[in-house]
Structure formats: C-alpha cells, structure tokens
Amino acid sequence: MEELNALFHGFATVISPMNFLLMLVGIVLGVLIGVLPGLGGANGVAILLPLTFSMNPTSAIIMLSCIYWGALFGGAITSVLFNIPGEPWSVATTFDGYPMAQQGKAGEALTGAFTSSFIGAFIAVVMITFLAPLVAKFALKFGPPEFFSVYLLTFCSFVGMGKGSPFKILASMTLGFALACVGMDTVTGQLRLTFGFHELMRGFDFLIAVIGLFGIGEILLSMEEGLAFNGKSARIDPKVVFNTWKQLPAYWATSLRGALIGIWMGITPGGATPASFMSYGVAKKMSKRGDNFGNGELEGVVAPETAAHAAGTSALLPMLALGIPGSPTAAVLLGGLLIWGLQPGPLLFVEQKDFVWGLIASMYLGNLVGLVVVLTTVPLFASILRIPFSIIAPVIIVICAIGAYTVHNAMLDIWFMLLFGVVGYAFKKLDYPLAPLVLALVLGDKAEDAFRQSMLLSQGDLAIMFSNGLVGGITALALLMLFWPIISKLLSFVRKPKPQAFAAERPVD
Amino acid sequence: MESNQTSEEGRALATNGTVDAVVAVLVFLLGALVVFGSRQLGAEWGDDGPGPGYFPFYIGVILCISGIGVFTQTLMAKGKAKEKNAEAFVDRESMGRVLAVLVPAVVYVAAVDLIGIYVASAVYITLFMVYLGKYGWLRSVIVGLAVNALFFLMFEVWFKVPLHKGTFDPLSFLGY
C-alpha cells in the first residue's frame, strides 16, 4: 500500500496546468517524430533534450517521456496507412494493419492498434509501480561486483537474445565501449585513446551517436530506396471506435500474452522490436483464426502493438531502479537525468521520491492523453505524411544538425554526427545491431568503474565475480547468455530443429 | 571507423560479402588500435590498482576477436547466407541516390561552420528542393526561409538556446 500512497502523491505533483500542457506538447511532438521517417524515439528525444535543460526535472521528464509515448503510438499510423513502419517495432503491425486498410478498415485497424498499445503500456506501468521500488530496495545492498555482474548480464543478454551473428552483436557492443573510453579517465584523470587530438578530450557523447546512427543513417537508407509515399486515407469517427472496442475484449488472451512478452523483453534488454515479432508469432500459433493472419485480422494488429508498447514502457524499470536502461530511448532519458543532476539508480527512490513517483504518475496520464490525442488527430498526421520526402529529408537533416550542436555547443559534434550517420547506414545494411553500441556508449564509464572497483577489492582476482550466491548467480546467468548461441546450436543437434516462422522478416533492433 | 566511408564510396558495386569482410577487417584494425593505445597508457596492474588502460585493453581484445569472427563467418558462409553475401550491397542507381544526399550534407556542415546554422540551413533546404525535389525556385526559397525563421524564433527567442553563428556571422545585425 505504501506504493499506492506514493503514487497518489505523484499524481498530485504532476497534475498542474503547465505539466498538462507539456504532456500534450510532448505527445504531439512524439507522434510527429514517430510518423516522420528518419526521426525515431531515441534520436527524437536526444534532439529535444537540450530544450528541457532550463526546466525543472519533473516537468522535463514528463515532456520527454510523453515524446516517447507519442513516438510509440505514431509508428502504428504509418504502418497501417502507408505500409511503411515509422519505427522498427511497428514492422509486425504492417502484416495485418495494411491489409485491413486496403479493405477500407483503416479506422478499425488504427483504433485496435492504439487501444492495444495503451493496454500494453498500462499493464507495464502497473508492473513498474509495484516492482520498481522492490528492485530498488534490493539493489541498495549491491556493491561494485554486483553492479558489474548486472552490467555483464545486460550486455550478454544482447548476445543471447539477439538475432543474427553473435560476433556482430559483440563488435557493435565493444565499439560502443571503446568509444566510451575515449577522453578523460574518470579515475586517474589521464587522457585516453585521444592519440594527440585535443578536441577528443570531451570524448564521444552518446547523444551525437544516437542522432547520427538513427537519424542520418535512416535518411540515407530511405533515400536509397527512393521513397515514395502512397497511402490510404483514414478518418476515425466515434462509431468505428466503439465498434472496435466491442470486438477487443474477445482478444483478451492475446493482449495479456503480448503484454507479458513485452514486459519480459523490455526488462531484459531484448527491446520492443523482437517483442512485437514474438507476440505476433505466438498469437498466430495460438489463435483459432491463425491461418487468416496476414490478410487483415484485427488480432494480428493487437498482438504486436500490445507487446511493443509493453516492452517500450518496461524498459524504463531497470533504468529507474538500477540505472541501467533497457533500450536506446531509455538510455537517452537516463542521459537527461544525469544532466539535470539526478543520479539514476536505487538511491533515486530514496532521495528523489517526488521525481520518481511524478514520473510514474505521468506514465499513467501520458498514455491516457496519448490515446485520446492519437484517436482524434490521425487525419492531421496522415496528411503530414503526404508532404514529399524531398522537403522532409533536408529539414530532418537540419534538425539533426541543430540537435547535435546543442548538446555541447561544439561544431565538431556535427561532423561526428555525419560520420555516425555513415556508420549507421553501413551497420544497418550489414545487420549489425545498433542498440548494443548505444547502450555500451552510455554505460561504458559506469561499467568500467564497477569493474575497476571490484578488481581493487579483490586485488585483481576475477573470482570475486563468484564470491557469493547473488553475484555468482547473476554472473553465471550472464555467461549462459553470452554462450547461448553456441549452446543452442549444440541443443539443436540433439533435438530436431524447429522451423523459424519469421526469421527472414525479422530485423535486428 | 573513419575509413568505412571510403570503402563504400570507392566500390559502388560491391557485394554484401565483400563489404562485410572489409568492415570486419576495419573492426579488427580498430580493436588493434585500442589494444595499442591502452598498452601505451598502462594496461598493467600499477602500484595503486589497475592502470588507465586496463579495461580498454580487454575491450580492444574482444573487438579484435569479433572482427576475426565476422570475417570467418563471411568466408565460411553456406546456403542462404552465401546467397545473401553474393547479392549487391548497393547498385549504381541507389548509390547515386545516397551520395546525392550525403555529399551535399557534407558541404552543408562545412557551410554551417562558416556562415552559421540558420543561413546554411535555409540555403541547403532550398537547393535540396530545387535540385533533388524538382520544385520551383519561389516555393523552395519560401520553404527554406520559413522553416529557418521558425527555428530562429524557437531557439534564439523562445528557448534561449544560442546556435552556431559561424565564422562570418551574417545574421549579426539581428542582435542575437
């Protein structure tokens, strides 16, 4: 009950006209970001982060997290109406959403998508409300070896749960760590890996990497395909909304499964994209009408959307409770916390009660406001998509450049952004995942500190990672994840291999 | 990482397998560079604990291993993966489209350095629309100016976040 009290206190902090306005602005900006190609949740939040430097942390995080919810909602609009997933996690939504739109049922598909997004997020927020304080309380007992083992688990699960070549995941991750090492060493104050270039003293900021990798890289990819939009138009009137809502309770099992898959994938850094595919695949297998999936089945929209939103939301749990973000966007939000002078991690629940519960309360409200906003403004955003790409592309590049500059007021960062853009383009084409790179760049310093402190405690003996049940268990789990690609290969020799349903269509997150 | 750019621009018609192998070599070289850099810093156990190069050293080693791993996987690819490797990474037409965005973007960033974000952006959007979008001059100039007027108001006036004005600062008469 302690949590409920704290939550109501949080609602009291959040509900003010100003915060409500910021929520609306955030949702609208977020949907816009989700709809436009080349701007996604992660780099959208990164670009808008500097605008919040002067706000108080609670208002700032409300606006930024609402941008995040908006982006999650926005991805569905382009998937259904244009068969173009605005975000990677809405790829699975196109499978049934676009056929529905072709049959003139765009309104139903969108209502279904938005509502199940909302339900997925809601279940995940309820979970955060009760679980996050417990995790934080537990984590207060952590020492450096425990923290390092959690970092290890985070990164090893990318290898264990990721699709594609484990070496590419490893390469992308260590590249992030290597870039994080550049600059001033936090312990000795020595310059590291700058090779005599003084401008590199600042190091590589992950916000620049996010803007380049996801923003510029995406534009280059879209340009290569010679993008031309031709979409279905959509109007959502209240009758369609209510009729769709009447159908939805029949899919309660699909929603619940989707939400659980999403929560699991969000807490372990699997991410929203694999979660949506997994949920779609499971729903196809379990549903009575599974054979009709892909031809415009409402259940096929419900499944991936619930999971994607649940995953996107629960990625914030490890960020709040442990200071370890579960997704690139959560990592950007974490960067924001640091800039506003808040130290993310278990102590946040003790020292910054107002802030944490304000944020959790704003998750409830933000999603509700988001649902209402997207249901009423679909025609507006659909018309934005009709603006030709040759106008949108240069404007997005300009926005990215401004965003990169404002991080440190450094011209060099804009050049780095371009460089990261080219790397992002090449990596995406070669199926290197980008999320591990970004997370490693964010967490590099902290993981290294935890490692060095553990090594100091043990005088260089790696056995400290197995010194007690807790740290040993987490480390063992991490190693299991790391070697999972090999183990699963060995297992498949023993058992008969199962055919993979969507292996070919599944992109790497 | 810097040389990624040249490897793709040089061979416009490379296959997936070739680019994959080249990037793997670059990853390995980068790893070797990190190992070399951290050895110089002191990757050993010093008097007061691990030296500054202790952690980066292992990162470099893993980077090297993953580079070798990707390289071997590309060479040893069988079946479906091999077919994918034989496909073109980019064809001449799409490479042209990518460069049509990338090269002006490089020029644009250089221009930002000299004449500031607002003027460079206005010119960039206008030229992009005229040459790549085939719009009329009037419409393009209007869009370019309007977008940047909005940005100017948003950053300089409302949110008080000053942006790069450039070496020559052509907008200094506005007083911001």
Side-chain angles (χ1 to χ4, degrees):
Chain A
M1 282 307 99
E2 203 186 317
E3 283 84 15
L4 279 186
N5 270 337
L7 181 64
F8 282 118
H9 189 71
F11 275 116
T13 339
V14 170
I15 297 178
S16 76
M18 187 60 198
N19 285 343
F20 200 69
L21 183 73
L22 285 176
M23 224 180 257
L24 276 178
V25 173
I27 294 280
V28 173
L29 282 175
V31 180
L32 195 63
I33 283 167
V35 164
L36 291 174
L39 283 176
N43 61 338
V45 178
I47 288 169
L48 293 168
L49 193 60
L51 291 185
T52 64
F53 285 171
S54 55
M55 297 181 191
N56 75 55
T58 313
S59 304
I61 195 83
I62 288 174
M63 186 165 132
L64 287 181
S65 56
C66 280
I67 293 172
Y68 187 28
W69 311 137
L72 282 168
F73 278 118
I77 299 180
T78 51
S79 304
V80 172
L81 295 184
F82 295 83
N83 204 15
I84 299 165
E87 302 293 335
W89 56 71
S90 41
V91 174
T93 313
T94 59
F95 297 163
D96 277 280
Y98 188 63
M100 280 183 83
Q102 284 177 316
Q103 294 157 21
K105 292 193 284 188
E108 274 178 51
L110 284 172
T111 313
F114 295 149
T115 316
S116 20
S117 300
F118 172 74
I119 292 169
F122 186 80
I123 298 176
V125 181
V126 171
M127 184 272 311
I128 289 183
T129 311
F130 293 99
L131 205 57
L134 288 182
V135 176
K137 214 175 270 173
F138 184 60
L140 279 176
K141 301 193 194 91
F142 278 18
E146 281 84 1
F147 266 111
F148 183 69
S149 64
V150 174
Y151 287 120
L152 198 64
L153 178 62
T154 308
F155 287 105
C156 290
S157 22
F158 274 118
V159 180
M161 321 224 327
K163 297 279 162 268
S165 158
F167 287 114
K168 287 186 175 173
I169 302 173
L170 212 56
S172 154
M173 190 186 306
T174 33
L175 191 60
F177 274 118
L179 289 173
C181 290
V182 175
M184 191 95 79
D185 177 18
T186 43
V187 180
T188 58
Q190 232 174 316
L191 286 183
R192 296 198 298 185
L193 302 177
T194 54
F195 299 102
F197 296 103
H198 286 289
E199 281 269 25
L200 280 179
M201 195 176 87
R202 249 191 339 261
F204 290 92
D205 196 296
F206 77 100
L207 291 171
I208 311 296
V210 166
I211 295 171
L213 291 173
F214 293 99
I216 305 293
E218 200 62 47
I219 290 276
L220 292 178
L221 273 182
S222 311
M223 245 1 240
E224 184 188 296
E225 286 153 19
L227 206 61
F229 290 127
N230 49 10
K232 306 283 164 216
S233 58
R235 287 191 63 82
I236 299 189
D237 57 62
K239 224 176 89 194
V240 174
V241 173
F242 287 117
N243 278 337
T244 316
W245 280 355
K246 262 188 237 157
Q247 296 178 40
L248 285 178
Y251 304 133
W252 66 273
T254 306
S255 302
L256 195 64
R257 269 197 304 268
L260 291 181
I261 292 173
I263 288 175
W264 170 248
M265 297 296 274
I267 295 181
T268 60
T273 313
S276 61
F277 279 97
M278 203 186 274
S279 171
Y280 185 84
V282 171
K284 191 179 157 86
K285 224 174 263 168
M286 309 280 275
S287 168
K288 273 177 243 141
R289 303 171 55 89
D291 294 339
N292 203 27
F293 268 43
N295 301 327
E297 196 65 25
L298 185 59
E299 199 175 353
V301 176
V302 170
E305 281 294 310
T306 322
H309 238 88
T313 310
S314 42
L316 298 179
L317 183 142
M319 179 199 97
L320 281 175
L322 300 172
I324 299 173
S327 73
T329 317
V332 178
L333 290 176
L334 180 117
L337 297 190
L338 291 173
I339 290 167
W340 304 315
L342 299 168
Q343 185 63 47
L347 276 176
L348 204 62
F349 276 84
V350 182
E351 289 170 353
Q352 300 286 345
K353 270 197 153 77
D354 280 357
F355 171 80
V356 172
W357 289 105
L359 170 60
I360 293 178
S362 83
M363 290 182 189
Y364 284 98
L365 287 177
N367 270 300
L368 192 61
V369 174
L371 181 64
V372 176
V373 169
V374 285
L375 280 179
T376 45
T377 53
V378 162
L380 178 73
F381 287 112
S383 68
I384 285 173
L385 274 173
R386 289 187 213 308
I387 301 175
F389 194 63
S390 45
I391 301 180
I392 289 181
V395 173
I396 289 176
I397 292 181
V398 168
I399 292 176
C400 288
I402 293 177
Y405 178 77
T406 46
V407 177
H408 287 298
N409 287 342
M411 188 58 218
L412 189 69
D413 282 346
I414 306 186
W415 287 110
F416 282 147
M417 171 200 79
L418 266 188
L419 190 64
F420 277 116
V422 176
V423 173
Y425 166 76
F427 271 25
K428 272 218 171 129
K429 292 210 72 170
L430 293 174
D431 286 344
Y432 281 82
L434 296 178
L437 198 166
V438 173
L439 287 193
L441 190 48
V442 179
L443 296 175
D445 281 349
K446 292 161 130 201
E448 184 182 353
D449 284 350
F451 181 67
R452 278 164 120 174
Q453 283 163 4
S454 320
M455 287 300 107
L456 277 173
L457 282 174
S458 70
Q459 287 304 307
D461 188 1
L462 281 173
I464 194 171
M465 300 316 296
F466 293 97
S467 57
N468 63 46
L470 179 63
V471 71
I474 303 175
T475 313
L477 192 60
L479 292 179
L480 180 72
M481 281 292 186
L482 181 62
F483 293 108
W484 185 248
I486 302 172
I487 297 169
S488 67
K489 249 198 192 130
L490 290 177
L491 282 179
S492 71
F493 271 121
V494 183
R495 278 186 308 183
K496 227 174 71 181
K498 274 181 290 179
Q500 276 261 328
F502 302 102
E505 294 143 56
R506 190 175 292 173
V508 261
D509 193 1
Chain B
M1 201 175 60
E2 286 81 355
S3 32
N4 262 358
Q5 208 170 334
T6 43
S7 73
E8 285 151 28
E9 282 169 19
R11 266 170 288 176
L13 294 163
T15 62
N16 270 326
T18 323
V19 181
D20 222 0
V22 170
V23 172
V25 170
L26 290 175
V27 168
F28 178 82
L29 289 179
L30 198 70
L33 185 71
V34 173
V35 168
F36 170 75
S38 11
R39 297 263 328 177
Q40 273 193 330
L41 283 164
E44 307 287 301
W45 194 268
D47 305 330
D48 48 352
Y54 189 66
F55 187 76
F57 176 76
Y58 289 104
I59 292 298
V61 170
I62 303 176
L63 208 49
C64 288
I65 294 174
S66 46
I68 296 171
V70 176
F71 193 76
T72 339
Q73 273 189 333
T74 313
L75 290 193
M76 309 278 273
K78 279 177 288 203
K80 238 185 178 164
K82 194 173 183 182
E83 280 168 36
K84 198 181 172 232
N85 276 345
E87 282 167 25
F89 181 75
V90 277
D91 52 52
R92 197 173 289 275
E93 194 191 343
S94 45
M95 193 70 220
R97 280 199 289 257
V98 172
L99 287 182
V101 180
L102 192 60
V103 172
V106 172
V107 177
Y108 161 66
V109 177
V112 168
D113 208 352
L114 294 176
I115 54 176
I117 274 182
Y118 300 111
V119 182
S121 302
V123 175
Y124 176 63
I125 293 174
T126 306
L127 292 182
F128 196 102
M129 282 178 69
V130 170
Y131 287 104
L132 292 175
K134 310 273 178 263
Y135 284 92
W137 277 97
L138 183 68
R139 233 172 127 187
S140 310
V141 170
I142 291 174
V143 172
L145 286 180
V147 167
N148 281 285
L150 182 73
F151 283 148
F152 188 85
L153 288 174
M154 207 165 125
F155 286 94
E156 306 286 328
V157 184
W158 297 329
F159 285 93
K160 307 255 183 272
V161 180
L163 297 184
H164 196 63
K165 301 298 184 321
T167 318
F168 297 112
D169 195 5
L171 288 179
S172 54
F173 63 91
L174 287 169
Y176 277 93

